[in-house]
Amino acid sequence: MIERLENIEKRYNEIVDELTRPETLSDIKKTTALSKEEAQLKENYDAYQEYKKILNNIETAKELMKDSDMLEFAKAEYNENEEKRKKMEQDFEVMLLPKDPNDGKDVIVEIRGAAGGDEANIFAGDLYRMYTYYAEKNGWKIEELNAEEGTAGGYSQVEFKIKGDNVYSKLKYESGSHRVQRVPLTESNGRIQTSTATVLVMPEVDDIDIEIKESDLRIDTFCASGHGGQGVNTTPSAVRITHLPTNTVVTCQNQRSQIQNKAEALEVLKSRLYQMELERQEQELGNERRNKIGTGDRSEKIRTYNYPQNRVTDHRIGFSTMQLQRVMDGELNEIINALITEDQARKLRGE
């Protein structure tokens, strides 16, 4: 453990030194990469500095105990710092677990109504609202990219970006199929219906992560539909980009100008291609993929929202809470913290 902490300290100091050099500062890509690495190491670096202070305090207390006049004070200092040392060493076990390199990134989220017709679209809208409230509670910014409204409400598909601190580290567990059990507004006989909406959470990708050739793209423009002001249905500002090698299609129509929509669509496309590459790599790892908290596949049923019983259940870890309305109002911390804790526990067990 100490060896790993010393390596982190050494690397952190190297990065800080490198970032003061003019030749580094003149290279934007290198500066960006080093700054991100510095940010990822900072928590462990700071904790190790505190740990070394505690060890120093323990040694000082041992010396003071040799003086009979200082014995009582020194014992109290020694015991206090020993408790801190033990606690920090336990914390280091978790802190030093392998980090997901995407944890610090912003995300692009896609929600689609799936099985259940109009009710599935309405539920997709409820999930969008839930994540919007959760983002607000965390001080994150949310930006809608594309929305296809359902005929009875909600969305058949909605895509949005969430920006903030360590967004992906919290929301990466949300990918999969979400199931709702309730009496739909569209049901006249009062029967409970089961419907689903799918969620896909993708880390936002920088230019240094993935490159797309212009020759691989087909770009079409058309008039936007839905809300957007006077330009809707009159100006071809909406953009549809097709990545020809993978036949991946991305649409963006929520910005006022064609240039802005094209830029947003390219961001979404990069994230989708990056997500496809991550999934390909995980499939090659075989068993390691199965040991994760869920596979992240859109088809995997991860959670049920049961309205008659006021219960939300996450099937991956067997976690339930009887606070459904609070969850739908963005109080997701209890569920997400349980997922993070279980993920850490599996990694500590070497799974």
Side-chain angles (χ1 to χ4, degrees), residues 145-148 220-240 251-258 261:
L145 300 174
N146 185 51
E148 298 173 17
D220 302 306
T221 60
F222 57 97
C223 294
S225 59
H227 33 261
Q230 295 179 344
V232 172
N233 293 323
T234 61
T235 306
S237 60
V239 174
R240 181 185 299 110
T251 301
C252 189
Q253 59 178 333
N254 279 43
Q255 301 298 328
R256 288 187 176 275
S257 78
Q258 190 181 113
N261 279 323

Side-chain angles (χ1 to χ4, degrees), residues 16-75:
V16 170
D17 180 61
E18 185 75 18
L19 286 171
T20 63
R21 298 178 182 176
E23 60 269 28
T24 300
L25 295 174
S26 63
D27 187 334
I28 295 175
K29 286 189 176 182
K30 186 175 183 180
T31 299
T32 301
L34 287 172
S35 296
K36 286 185 176 181
E37 188 180 355
E38 178 191 18
Q40 290 169 355
L41 295 176
K42 191 175 189 329
E43 182 184 4
N44 287 349
Y45 172 84
D46 289 343
Y48 185 42
Q49 303 315 300
E50 181 63 25
Y51 179 72
K52 288 196 292 184
K53 287 180 184 177
I54 291 170
L55 294 182
N56 187 60
N57 290 342
I58 289 171
E59 292 304 313
T60 301
K62 286 180 180 178
E63 288 297 316
L64 288 175
M65 278 192 278
K66 296 175 183 178
D67 184 341
S68 57
D69 292 335
M70 298 292 291
L71 183 59
E72 188 174 340
F73 169 77
K75 278 186 176 180

Side-chain angles (χ1 to χ4, degrees), residues 212-219 241-245 266 269:
I212 299 175
K213 297 178 182 177
E214 281 286 339
S215 58
D216 288 340
L217 302 178
R218 187 179 72 232
I219 300 175
I241 298 179
T242 304
H243 184 247
L244 300 174
L266 281 171
L269 177 60

Side-chain angles (χ1 to χ4, degrees), residues 16-234:
V16 170
D17 180 61
E18 185 75 18
L19 286 171
T20 63
R21 298 178 182 176
E23 60 269 28
T24 300
L25 295 174
S26 63
D27 187 334
I28 295 175
K29 286 189 176 182
K30 186 175 183 180
T31 299
T32 301
L34 287 172
S35 296
K36 286 185 176 181
E37 188 180 355
E38 178 191 18
Q40 290 169 355
L41 295 176
K42 191 175 189 329
E43 182 184 4
N44 287 349
Y45 172 84
D46 289 343
Y48 185 42
Q49 303 315 300
E50 181 63 25
Y51 179 72
K52 288 196 292 184
K53 287 180 184 177
I54 291 170
L55 294 182
N56 187 60
N57 290 342
I58 289 171
E59 292 304 313
T60 301
K62 286 180 180 178
E63 288 297 316
L64 288 175
M65 278 192 278
K66 296 175 183 178
D67 184 341
S68 57
D69 292 335
M70 298 292 291
L71 183 59
E72 188 174 340
F73 169 77
K75 278 186 176 180
E77 282 290 302
Y78 176 83
N79 291 335
E80 181 183 344
N81 281 281
E82 265 295 300
E83 285 299 312
K84 289 180 179 178
R85 179 189 65 80
K86 291 175 183 177
K87 173 67 167 57
M88 286 206 76
E89 288 178 357
Q90 290 176 343
D91 292 342
F92 280 138
E93 288 186 1
V94 174
M95 289 174 67
L96 293 175
L97 288 171
K99 291 283 195 301
D100 185 333
N102 292 317
D103 275 352
K105 293 184 177 181
D106 299 333
V107 302
I108 292 172
V109 184
E110 177 190 283
I111 304 175
R112 295 190 185 197
D118 288 338
E119 170 64 3
N121 293 342
I122 292 170
F123 180 51
D126 293 340
L127 292 176
Y128 180 29
R129 173 179 172 273
M130 178 182 78
Y131 291 125
T132 298
Y133 284 170
Y134 181 64
E136 290 173 353
K137 292 175 190 296
N138 281 279
W140 299 338
K141 292 182 179 180
I142 191 163
E143 177 188 344
E144 190 174 294
L145 300 174
N146 185 51
E148 298 173 17
E149 296 179 358
T151 55
Y155 299 93
S156 60
Q157 180 175 335
V158 59
E159 292 166 303
F160 52 99
K161 185 189 302 182
I162 303 180
K163 292 186 173 184
D165 294 332
N166 299 310
V167 181
Y168 187 74
S169 70
K170 301 288 183 68
L171 291 181
K172 64 183 177 182
Y173 303 102
E174 295 302 297
S175 290
S177 179
H178 295 240
R179 182 174 70 169
V180 63
Q181 294 175 323
R182 64 185 178 190
V183 179
L185 295 173
T186 54
E187 171 58 57
S188 58
N189 296 320
R191 292 175 297 189
I192 295 173
Q193 179 177 317
T194 298
S195 304
T196 59
T198 60
V199 176
L200 179 62
V201 178
M202 301 172 285
E204 191 173 22
V205 180
D206 298 322
D207 288 335
I208 58 174
D209 292 321
I210 189 168
E211 292 185 8
I212 299 175
K213 297 178 182 177
E214 281 286 339
S215 58
D216 288 340
L217 302 178
R218 187 179 72 232
I219 300 175
D220 302 306
T221 60
F222 57 97
C223 294
S225 59
H227 33 261
Q230 295 179 344
V232 172
N233 293 323
T234 61

